Amino acid sequence: MTAVSVVAYVLLTAAVLLALVRLVRGPSLLDRVVAADTILAVVAAALVVVAALERNTVIVPVVVVVSLLGFLGAVGVARYVGGMLIRSTTGDGVDVGLPEPAEERGVPR
Amino acid sequence: MSERIRRLVHELPVLGYLVVVWVLLWGTWSWANLLAGAAVALVVTHALPLPQVEQHARFRPWAVLRLTVVFLGELARSSAEVAWEAVRPGGGRSTALIVVQLRTDSDLLLSLVVEALTLTPGSIVLDLDREDRIIAVHMLPVRNHDDLERRRRGVLQFEDRIVRAFGRADDIAALDRLPDPAGIGRPPDATGGADAIDEQRGGRR
Amino acid sequence: MSGLLDAVAAVLLLLGALLCLTAGLGLVRFHDVLSRMHAGTKPQVMGVLLILAGAAIRLRGSSVVWMLLLVAVFQLLTAPLAAHLVSRIAYRRRHVRRDLLLVAEIGFEGFGQPLPADAPQGDEPAEAVTDTSAPSGGSSRAREG
């Protein structure tokens, strides 16, 4: 089980690091939302792995909370930006202060 | 039967779901848990009321079982596809943005279809035109046009399965209806993008 | 028997962790928000489900198995919802690499209308045809290119 735990932790850590890269690089707010959501899900998965390998059931309730937090954050941001889009006459939010989408600006990604 | 009782009966499935969640959260079965769960469920549903979903759904155990198996299989398959797309050199460079007209006309079934589609055959549902039952879908690993047509059929097949599992008789009958003869879409002056977001906020006209 | 079950659990845990890794890889490698959303939902959800299954096998008999089941159900319910909400906004904000689209049956100026036959595709913004003098308010079609 030691080998299993080492490999599993390495894989999950790499996953979190990759998602962190996306979180830092962006380029848009929505990219960061997706990245943050993924990070929380991977953290929840890692907690489950700890619980399974150590047969430690105390942290399982934490997993329930963490797995729901990512969802709440994503919905919150999506509704916030959606609210700005409603006020936007062009429909894409550029006229209410949101930046041009990076996909059309040719920003390195 | 008073209005209050009718409303309570209407809410029974939601109450049941909340009680089950409560009991699962505690992890042990006891009458005290059940009663506490029922109390919490009542408080939650009455303190934070949601708009009622009018259509009732059926529950066909055999079809639901088959749907579950197919769903899990599809989830595994599309996870593997997206995972491979993420790993292979030069992956993720071929996507598609398509529209599909669904045949079911029930709010509940449409939301189920949209939820399931987002998880299964390489697709994410972007938007929904409720009146014309059209969904916009983003597909990720799309190799060529044949592949795309296969996926498009897959979407309709999936709708078929879900409606046959949860739909009423008239929902199932509606599956045989052909796409609108006028084709998808409406005259250019019809609903614009912002309206769909209004709908999301409950401001439907 | 117990050894076999533990082996199965270990395999499930590793597979799940591997899928989580591909989700992270997809997040970094894919080219627009919508594609990244694919990576953030499908392999991610499947990975978490596999890990939960592995944990349930390993912790068999304990009461937390029910809680793990609850987490699995929450994942299945919430992940597509969040994906749909976020990608819908991403689509309205035009976070799409148009040059990578094999087929684009819709533009961004409204939903449910097929692209006109002469609509620009590829890198060129589809809403390059603008009419800035058009009365605003309610018209989501007039926009600046």
Side-chain angles (χ1 to χ4, degrees), chain B residues 19-98:
Chain B
V19 171
V20 169
V21 167
W22 179 266
V23 173
L24 287 182
L25 273 177
W26 280 96
T28 48
W29 159 259
S30 75
W31 287 104
N33 267 346
L34 188 75
L35 286 178
V40 171
L42 276 174
V43 168
V44 167
T45 49
H46 284 257
L48 310 162
L50 288 171
Q52 291 195 354
V53 179
E54 284 306 326
Q55 287 99 344
H56 286 277
R58 282 289 178 74
F59 189 84
R60 295 187 178 73
W62 179 235
V64 171
L65 191 69
R66 268 200 325 200
L67 175 70
T68 313
V69 172
V70 170
F71 174 79
L72 288 178
E74 284 282 326
L75 177 60
R77 195 171 63 94
S78 78
S79 305
E81 272 181 13
V82 176
W84 170 240
E85 197 71 12
V87 173
R88 82 182 172 89
R93 300 202 69 88
S94 182
T95 61
L97 203 56
I98 65 169

Side-chain angles (χ1 to χ4, degrees), chain C residues 2-140:
Chain C
S2 160
L4 180 70
L5 279 178
D6 275 353
V8 171
V11 169
L12 286 177
L13 289 178
L14 289 180
L15 259 181
L18 195 66
L19 274 177
C20 285
L21 178 63
T22 62
L25 209 57
L27 271 184
V28 173
R29 289 198 57 209
F30 287 167
H31 303 278
D32 57 13
V33 178
L34 292 181
S35 307
R36 286 171 198 147
M37 205 71 232
H38 280 278
T41 48
K42 269 154 264 162
Q44 178 58 65
V45 169
M46 196 65 202
V48 172
L49 285 187
L50 286 178
I51 286 180
L52 287 171
I57 292 177
R58 184 134 163 98
L59 299 172
R60 56 192 176 273
S62 157
S63 67
V64 293
V65 170
W66 296 111
M67 230 181 276
L68 295 178
L69 178 70
L70 199 65
V71 175
V73 171
F74 282 162
Q75 276 285 322
L76 281 175
L77 286 179
T78 57
L81 243 161
H84 170 59
L85 280 172
V86 172
S87 47
R88 157 192 210 130
I89 301 297
Y91 162 65
R92 293 223 181 289
R93 295 265 296 118
R94 292 185 279 133
H95 282 300
V96 182
R97 280 283 295 276
R98 244 170 276 219
D99 50 327
L100 298 182
L101 287 176
L102 181 73
V103 173
E105 292 177 357
I106 35 172
F108 296 84
E109 60 278 311
F111 173 65
Q113 303 142 19
L115 275 186
D118 57 345
Q121 291 191 2
D123 270 336
E124 198 182 348
E127 48 291 291
V129 192
T130 36
D131 184 6
T132 42
S133 66
S136 61
S139 162
S140 60

